[in-house]
Amino acid sequence: NKLWTPQGIGLWKADASPTALSDNELIWENEVQGIELEVPNDVLAMPDGTALIFGWDRTGFRITDPDQYNATQINPRIFSHGWDGAYRPNDPSFVVTNAADYLESRGAPNTASFSTDGGVTWELFPNIRSNHPTELKFGNIAPGVSDANFPENIVWVPAKGPAPYFSNDNGATWNKASGWIQDGGGNDANSGFINEFVKIQGLVAHPEDAGVFYYAAPNLGLTKSVDGGDNWELLFDGFVGFGFNSRLQIDPTDTDTLWYAHGQQSENFRSGLWRSTDGGETFVELASVDYAIDVSLGAPAPGATIETLYLVGV
């Protein structure tokens, strides 16, 4: 009288005895903790010590203690994929993700969401299921510093279109950048996303200046906007190769310092770690790194005054 079945998120059992089935309902119960075929795309170390993880096959998880099984799902009743996530630099309680499903068999719904309590609760952007630009999906997303001129600014670089979008009302409405970088034919240059599966983490908001964003487009170089994402300029175009897994970081303690991990491993060229100390005007590739798959910054080590650098690479 017991039924068991394995499934992608664990093991389930049901009582199939005549007594249990007297109401003609079969109740399945999950019997395991901590099993999920999650493919992480982005991890946010929140200032309050929690971690927000975004990935496939669930939008993501919020973890308050990595030593305990206490993770809670982001949008728990929605099957979707968290492609990217970021919080507002001067208001970490405001967090965004451009979550979406990619399977057309399920309708590939856009489930991009925001949180106003640091990732505890989430809701869809207001017009995500109605008056939302079709191409605005997947890619990179980041909210900017909030001030009187840019109180509710967000930039989104979609994988479905060549140019970034921006919002000045916390994602209720979106506008395509009117001054994006042009290609040789006078059209908007491709942002670097061949498709939604290319993992680029190239968009960062300036940690101090409202309206200022950087985006490292692998096929172009480092671009910058100072008006909330509407107009962009190309600062540096010397990165080598494409960079399928590229990551851009800005040092919050020294905002003139930017780090760029090329991401791609290739025998054809070095795809290493690049550093700028002049706000992105120039970059130098570090000779000590052959391949930089990912880069991140953390709190200074004991006795140190500069940010700790973390590298996945060779």
Side-chain angles (χ1 to χ4, degrees):
N1 291 329
K2 302 293 183 184
L3 296 178
W4 294 81
T5 182
Q7 193 245 357
I9 57 173
L11 191 66
W12 300 74
K13 76 170 185 179
D15 184 351
S17 65
T19 300
L21 295 178
S22 60
D23 58 358
N24 292 321
E25 289 189 2
L26 185 67
I27 306 299
W28 291 95
E29 296 179 349
N30 192 288
E31 283 297 296
V32 298
Q33 291 183 335
I35 292 181
E36 167 56 76
L37 304 181
E38 181 80 354
V39 180
N41 286 325
D42 201 12
V43 179
L44 298 183
M46 302 295 289
D48 65 359
T50 62
L52 300 181
I53 299 176
F54 302 92
W56 314 335
D57 290 332
R58 297 290 185 264
T59 299
F61 294 89
R62 179 176 183 267
I63 299 174
T64 59
D65 182 356
D67 292 328
Q68 302 293 327
Y69 178 74
N70 63 0
T72 55
Q73 283 195 43
I74 299 171
N75 293 336
R77 289 170 295 279
I78 300 176
F79 186 96
S80 70
H81 300 74
W83 299 87
D84 194 19
Y87 61 80
R88 196 178 298 284
N90 64 336
D91 181 13
S93 64
F94 186 81
V95 194
V96 298
T97 179
N98 55 356
D101 197 345
Y102 68 90
L103 287 179
E104 296 298 336
S105 61
R106 289 195 294 264
N110 196 334
T111 54
S113 312
F114 69 96
S115 171
T116 59
D117 53 15
V120 178
T121 60
W122 295 78
E123 57 182 297
L124 299 178
F125 286 126
N127 296 310
I128 203 71
R129 298 290 173 80
S130 56
N131 190 29
H132 185 81
T134 303
E135 67 179 10
L136 188 54
K137 199 173 184 181
F138 312 120
N140 288 169
I141 190 170
V145 168
S146 177
D147 72 356
N149 295 320
F150 298 95
E152 299 178 333
N153 188 207
I154 310 173
V155 170
W156 187 343
V157 182
K160 291 290 188 179
Y165 279 71
F166 66 95
S167 172
N168 288 321
D169 52 15
N170 278 344
T173 59
W174 297 90
N175 297 288
K176 191 175 184 178
S178 62
W180 177 236
I181 311 302
Q182 300 295 287
D183 62 17
N187 301 310
D188 285 341
N190 187 280
S191 62
F193 285 96
I194 297 175
N195 54 50
E196 63 266 31
F197 302 107
V198 173
K199 185 178 179 292
I200 298 171
Q201 302 287 352
L203 178 66
V204 295
H206 195 284
E208 296 175 351
D209 298 337
V212 178
F213 293 83
Y214 294 94
Y215 177 67
N219 58 324
L220 293 174
L222 185 73
T223 65
K224 181 181 181 180
S225 174
V226 297
D227 61 0
D230 191 13
N231 292 280
W232 297 77
E233 64 173 321
L234 182 62
L235 294 184
F236 178 78
D237 61 358
F239 296 136
V240 179
F242 192 83
F244 287 97
N245 282 315
S246 56
R247 165 88 69 171
L248 180 68
Q249 296 279 9
I250 183 170
D251 190 333
T253 65
D254 179 8
T255 57
D256 284 334
T257 299
L258 288 85
W259 296 89
Y260 178 73
H262 188 282
Q264 184 180 1
Q265 284 185 274
S266 172
E267 297 300 325
N268 298 324
F269 55 85
R270 285 171 54 95
S271 52
L273 182 63
W274 300 66
R275 179 178 62 194
S276 173
T277 58
D278 56 9
E281 296 285 346
T282 61
F283 279 81
V284 174
E285 186 181 11
L286 275 65
S288 58
V289 178
D290 289 329
Y291 298 108
I293 307 304
D294 204 351
V295 65
S296 189
L297 295 163
T305 58
I306 62 173
E307 293 279 284
T308 301
L309 192 71
Y310 295 89
L311 175 72
V312 178
V314 179

